[in-house]
Amino acid sequence: MNYKSTRDNSISVTSAKAIAQGLSEEGGLFVPENIPALTKDDILSLCDKTYPERAFEIFRRFLTDFTDDEIRYCVNGAYSDKNFDSADISEISHLYSGTYILELWHGPTCAFKDMALQILPYLLSVSAKKVIDGKDIAILVATSGDTGKAALEGFKDVAGTSITVFYPEDGVSDMQKRQMTTQEGGNVNVCAVKGNFDDCQNGVKAIFTNEVLKKELDSMNITFSSANSINWGRLSPQIVYYISVYASLVKSGDIEYGDKINIVVPTGNFGNILAAYYAKEMGLPVNKLICASNANNVLTDFINTGVYDRNRHFYTTISPSMDILISSNLERLLYHLTDGNDKQIAEWFGKLAKDGRYEVTDDVKAKIKDLFYAGCCDDNATKDAIRQAFDEYSYLMDTHTGVAYKVYNDYKAATGDETKTVIASTANPYKFGKAVYEAVGGNTDGLDEFTIIEKLEEHTGTKMPAPLAATKTKTVRFTGSVEKSGMSDVVLDFLRSR
Ligand SMILES: *Cc1c(COP(=O)(O)O)cnc(C)c1O
């Protein structure tokens, strides 16, 4: 099976090429040319399998140019209890009857990004062997917090790779900064940028397309690659956990095969919920895909009206990983919903780049309405939802999961739908300890991060996960900070010194 570009159907590449390259040359995203089907027997056969075995079954349908041994090497390397604090890799918590929380944050950085970024280095190194043999890969990442740390943990000490992460000096939480600047590993580099996330991202894009730098890299036998969520190697691992949770619920007797479930996803770049869409298209019995946004509700408006308009105020919220106005992976959904109309996609995304706005056709609007429900909430409503879940069910959730839970409650009130439901939980609450402690009634005035965390532990009877606790005593290794114009020198100096 090959992968096409959403903006040019004449481009067709293997999965290895799609993963190694990341983005198609003309700016399109790689999508599978057909979506493999899962039968009832296929899904039932997963029930008695482990997470890596389930992942193997899904990947071999998408990565048809990988050998079975290569896929086994990838899934077994990534999904082991060396990297995750749960033998099941993700955990299912029962909030109340028929409503389940899928905890996707049991990996080394305590956010769901680990589910994909633990395996991406394996997928990338196998892919690179097939298509760019012999070259080392230099990963560049611009991050607003979670991706940077998860990518560092994924790529640390992976042979044939190095990684440089840029983050906005004043744009990440104390815990996120501590996690990144204490990163261990011989092939990692972290640097703050005097600017915001957009400056970091533009700086990285400029490095990718800098011809002088490219020549310099060629002479060192190195090629650049990206670990952000437009890469098929980051999206495909996310399909696995939706199919896996269904198999687990069948196995535990919570559902019978064929029962449909709703899936609620706190959404930013539209990667996580798109993976749930792929699972549904493969044949997983899914009722509604519920897209939850914070005050940056560009997706809520789009799903409800068919008009995408990024010309709006940008809010900084307590769920920062969803503070985003351009949801890149939406392009993949629209490609599928237009039956692969590359001209149409190129036109819409051209308009988005030029005017910040496009409107889809009535046909696409109707398909979106059928598949999705969308809602949003502000910070106060998020905190109220966190408190309510804690008071009523003794379940402590992070701010992103809080948005999802609130929007799900609104959905139920609006529709009366009693379908069993899985809520994707994307981060451990201790990653956003200040907002979570305030949500459950704590006062954080004048307190530092670790004091707040101790109080949150006392107040809730829960424990900060070990990887976050460990950052307290780890040595800060990376103190560098540069102007945007200095980013390429940071990369070159690092690569030359290796
Ligand atoms: C990245 C992230 C999201 C948003 O996921 P998308 O795939 O970008 O929609 C939600 N919650 C947390 C904690 C995240 O790190």
Side-chain angles (χ1 to χ4, degrees):
M1 179 169 76
N2 272 354
Y3 289 75
K4 295 199 158 179
S5 163
T6 50
R7 298 188 196 178
D8 184 349
N9 280 332
S10 70
I11 295 175
S12 177
V13 301
T14 60
S15 75
K17 178 98 169 120
I19 291 168
Q21 197 176 318
L23 192 69
S24 187
E25 289 105 9
E26 81 309 342
L29 307 189
F30 289 116
V31 286
E33 63 187 5
N34 52 59
I35 298 175
L38 286 176
T39 64
K40 176 179 177 179
D41 286 346
D42 290 337
I43 294 175
L44 288 178
S45 76
L46 298 178
C47 291
D48 289 320
K49 290 189 155 76
T50 63
Y51 192 88
E53 289 166 350
R54 291 172 181 179
F56 171 80
E57 291 299 331
I58 308 305
F59 278 122
R60 61 194 301 242
R61 289 169 164 80
F62 280 106
L63 312 180
T64 53
D65 51 325
F66 282 47
T67 65
D68 282 357
D69 279 347
E70 285 170 339
I71 296 178
R72 268 194 209 100
Y73 162 75
C74 294
V75 296
N76 292 336
Y79 301 124
S80 86
D81 56 11
K82 278 209 306 283
N83 311 327
F84 288 79
D85 70 11
S86 154
D88 294 331
I89 307 305
S90 59
E91 294 270 329
I92 303 171
S93 276
H94 291 225
L95 196 59
Y96 54 88
S97 175
T99 301
Y100 310 95
I101 304 271
L102 175 60
E103 296 175 353
L104 299 168
W105 39 259
H106 289 273
T109 77
C110 307
F112 94 101
K113 304 282 195 293
D114 289 328
M115 299 299 291
L117 280 163
Q118 280 297 306
I119 195 166
L120 181 66
Y122 291 93
L123 296 174
L124 198 57
S125 49
V126 172
S127 299
K129 264 207 199 89
K130 293 178 186 292
V131 296
I132 43 168
D133 195 22
K135 283 197 175 185
D136 275 7
I137 300 172
I139 300 283
L140 300 185
V141 178
T143 184
S144 58
D146 289 337
T147 298
K149 177 62 185 180
L152 287 162
E153 275 299 315
F155 282 95
K156 102 177 153 197
D157 295 329
V158 173
T161 74
S162 70
I163 172 165
T164 302
V165 169
F166 293 104
Y167 69 92
E169 186 148 48
D170 301 315
V172 299
S173 80
D174 288 348
M175 179 59 83
Q176 287 174 322
K177 183 170 188 162
R178 206 186 308 268
Q179 280 187 292
M180 289 189 280
T181 55
T182 58
Q183 177 66 43
E184 291 162 350
N187 64 339
V188 304
N189 189 22
V190 176
C191 185
V193 175
K194 296 186 203 308
N196 61 23
F197 171 65
D198 282 333
D199 295 323
C200 296
Q201 191 156 45
N202 291 336
V204 164
K205 276 191 194 148
I207 295 174
F208 272 124
T209 50
N210 181 328
E211 288 302 326
V212 179
L213 219 63
K214 228 185 233 162
K215 282 219 181 78
E216 181 81 29
L217 254 71
D218 274 342
S219 70
M220 294 190 272
N221 208 24
I222 298 175
T223 179
F224 282 132
S225 190
S226 140
N228 78 25
S229 79
I230 48 166
N231 192 315
W232 182 252
R234 266 197 64 185
L235 196 63
S236 50
Q238 302 184 341
I239 300 170
V240 175
Y241 47 73
Y242 292 113
I243 297 165
S244 174
V245 69
Y246 192 90
S248 294
L249 290 172
V250 170
K251 185 176 159 84
S252 63
D254 284 277
I255 57 175
E256 274 181 45
Y257 177 83
D259 290 351
K260 289 191 171 180
I261 57 167
N262 294 323
I263 298 176
V264 191
V265 186
T267 298
N269 213 14
F270 208 76
N272 203 3
I273 196 166
L274 183 71
Y277 162 81
Y278 278 118
K280 178 176 162 72
E281 291 306 298
M282 290 174 79
L284 196 73
V286 174
N287 180 41
K288 277 281 178 204
L289 300 166
I290 298 172
C291 175
S293 301
N294 63 23
N296 297 296
N297 58 0
V298 63
L299 282 169
T300 316
D301 289 347
F302 174 69
I303 289 171
N304 289 328
T305 66
V307 177
Y308 196 100
D309 190 351
R310 64 155 300 194
N311 303 306
R312 58 180 69 212
H313 184 69
F314 177 87
Y315 294 95
T316 301
T317 74
I318 57 171
S319 43
S321 303
M322 295 153 67
D323 291 347
I324 186 161
L325 292 180
I326 298 193
S327 300
S328 318
N329 275 300
L330 196 55
E331 179 165 344
R332 287 190 163 109
L333 176 75
L334 295 179
Y335 180 84
H336 293 301
L337 296 186
T338 56
D339 300 317
N341 188 339
D342 55 346
K343 305 271 173 319
Q344 181 73 84
I345 300 300
E347 184 199 319
W348 286 339
F349 284 84
K351 278 188 179 156
L352 180 66
K354 195 163 145 279
D355 313 321
R357 186 183 188 279
Y358 62 90
E359 179 167 7
V360 296
T361 58
D362 288 346
D363 175 49
V364 171
K365 284 181 199 172
K367 286 183 185 163
I368 290 175
K369 272 261 158 74
D370 193 42
L371 288 161
F372 294 90
Y373 170 91
C376 59
C377 67
D378 65 11
D379 283 354
N380 283 332
T382 307
K383 285 182 173 173
D384 286 347
I386 293 171
R387 175 168 48 237
Q388 186 256 329
F390 184 70
D391 287 350
E392 251 172 75
Y393 310 115
S394 305
Y395 186 83
L396 190 67
M397 56 181 64
D398 95 292
T399 48
H400 304 77
T401 313
V403 170
Y405 177 59
K406 162 67 177 154
V407 168
Y408 174 58
N409 285 342
D410 291 346
Y411 166 79
K412 276 223 309 204
T415 61
D417 181 12
E418 291 292 329
T419 305
K420 288 180 180 168
T421 295
V422 170
I423 299 173
S425 178
T426 49
N428 180 283
Y430 283 91
K431 252 193 129 152
F432 303 94
K434 181 169 182 289
V436 170
Y437 185 50
E438 287 168 1
V440 295
N443 183 346
T444 60
D445 285 350
L447 302 182
D448 69 43
E449 176 99 17
F450 281 102
T451 311
I452 292 171
I453 280 173
E454 273 167 31
K455 287 187 172 283
L456 182 59
E457 288 183 324
E458 254 166 54
H459 183 89
T460 61
T462 60
K463 268 274 172 233
M464 165 162 59
L468 296 183
T471 62
K472 193 173 177 177
T473 51
K474 276 194 181 158
T475 316
V476 172
R477 296 180 61 201
F478 302 100
T479 53
S481 161
V482 291
E483 300 290 340
K484 193 181 152 190
S485 56
M487 288 169 63
S488 54
D489 284 343
V490 169
V491 174
L492 261 188
D493 290 348
F494 172 61
L495 293 176
R496 284 198 186 117
S497 72
R498 299 194 69 239

